[in-house]
């Protein structure tokens, strides 16, 4: 289907000078790693493994959302007590099962070949995000990495995006943020940063990306190989 624009805009001859990406559900299909971590917890409790289909829609919502989906019988306090054990289990599984989404490497290579820069702004704790990147060589290629605990605020607050733009020496309006969750688009809009909705990522059945007011909706990473598909 290709990228779908919400408003008409002039055709660009080059990629945006800086592209910032969400990580889980946007660059990385990390659901298999998350599933392994959840199932380690379920196994410790004598429960049958969860399935990828059950967990996948919740991955971009964070650890607490995945725990709630995997342990719906537990109350909030009991689920909260599982957050750190889940993160510990996930740390043991990082990079063992997940892979970049199909077409992501081509997209990143095209951005780099154009002389543009790209970075990562995620709500994943920074110490975990930093462990993900080396498996794909992204630690040497990403211009910046901001995690969910790097700053005083996380998405949907605009601070992580504003901080990244400032650190890279560009105005927010000259960056583009790509993400698969509504929080990503809210953060971009609050930062005054154009956005791309990654429709290939993780969403709940009730999520409607058409209502998020992103500037471009892209079906697949390869739809973003053409600089004209971007909102700048």
């Amino acid at each position: 289907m290709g990228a779908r624009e919400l408003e008409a805009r002039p055709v660009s001859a080059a990629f945006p000078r800086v592209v910032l990406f969400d990580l889980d559900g946007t660059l990385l299909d990390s659901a298999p790693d998350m599933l392994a971590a959840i199932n380690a917890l379920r196994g410790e409790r004598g429960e049958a493994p969860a399935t990828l289909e059950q967990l996948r829609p919740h991955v971009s919502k964070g650890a607490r959302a995945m725990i709630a989906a995997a342990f719906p019988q537990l109350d909030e306090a009991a689920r909260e007590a599982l957050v750190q054990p889940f993160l510990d289990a996930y740390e043991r599984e990082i990079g063992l099962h997940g892979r970049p989404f199909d077409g992501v490497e081509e997209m990143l290579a095209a951005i780099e070949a154009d002389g543009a820069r790209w970075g990562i702004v995620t709500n994943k704790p920074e110490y975990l995000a930093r462990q993900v990147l080396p498996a794909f060589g992204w630690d040497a290629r990403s211009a910046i990495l901001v995690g969910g605990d790097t700053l005083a605020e996380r998405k949907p607050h605009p601070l992580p995006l504003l901080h990244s733009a400032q650190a890279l020496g560009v105005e927010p309006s000259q960056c583009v943020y790509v993400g698969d969750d509504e929080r990503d688009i809210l953060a971009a809009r609050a930062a005054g940063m154009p956005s791309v909705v990654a429709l290939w990522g993780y969403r709940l059945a009730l999520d409607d990306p058409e209502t998020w007011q992103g500037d471009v909706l892209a079906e697949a990473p390869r739809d973003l190989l053409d600089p004209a598909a971007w909102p700048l």
Side-chain angles (χ1 to χ4, degrees):
M1 181 181 295
R4 291 181 280 151
E5 297 179 358
L6 299 184
E7 296 180 2
R9 57 174 177 76
V11 173
S12 170
F15 288 96
R17 294 300 83 195
V18 172
V19 181
L20 299 173
F21 293 95
D22 177 46
L23 183 56
D24 301 303
T26 301
L27 292 179
L28 186 65
D29 185 5
S30 55
D33 288 349
M34 304 293 189
L35 179 66
I38 282 291
N39 281 338
L41 299 186
R42 289 181 63 86
E44 291 171 1
R45 288 154 181 76
E47 300 187 31
T51 67
L52 191 59
E53 291 71 22
Q54 290 170 330
L55 189 68
R56 182 181 173 87
H58 304 274
V59 171
S60 283
K61 305 298 183 184
R64 288 169 178 82
M66 286 184 277
I67 291 168
F71 300 97
Q73 76 279 14
L74 299 182
D75 62 23
E76 184 175 356
R79 294 197 300 267
E80 188 66 25
L82 287 178
V83 171
Q84 192 58 52
F86 168 74
L87 294 177
D88 292 342
Y90 169 63
E91 187 173 10
R92 294 191 293 270
E93 302 292 342
I94 283 178
L96 298 182
H97 314 281
R99 296 289 182 272
F101 283 100
D102 189 30
V104 159
E105 288 292 0
E106 293 173 60
M107 174 183 63
L108 296 179
I111 292 170
E112 293 167 346
D114 195 50
R117 293 175 291 169
W118 63 272
I120 296 170
V121 180
T122 174
N123 275 1
K124 182 194 292 294
E126 184 179 338
Y127 80 98
L128 291 174
R130 290 202 177 277
Q131 294 181 59
V132 171
L133 304 194
F136 312 109
W138 293 347
D139 53 325
R141 297 165 62 191
S142 177
I144 193 168
L145 170 63
V146 175
D149 55 357
T150 303
L151 305 169
E153 301 285 353
R154 64 175 61 192
K155 301 175 295 181
H157 198 281
L159 179 61
L161 298 184
L162 294 172
H163 168 84
S164 299
Q166 182 180 36
L168 295 175
V170 294
E171 293 296 321
S173 61
Q174 296 305 305
C175 299
V176 175
Y177 189 56
V178 185
D180 68 306
D181 189 79
E182 185 175 17
R183 291 175 300 180
D184 301 324
I185 308 309
L186 290 172
R189 193 159 68 246
M193 188 175 293
S195 62
V196 174
V197 180
L199 294 175
W200 63 84
Y202 308 134
R203 291 195 308 278
L204 298 173
L206 295 179
D207 286 343
D208 182 5
E210 296 280 359
T211 68
W212 297 352
Q213 301 181 49
D215 295 288
V216 168
L217 286 77
E219 298 282 355
R222 288 193 178 93
D223 294 336
L224 299 174
L225 292 176
D226 182 355
W230 293 78
L232 284 180

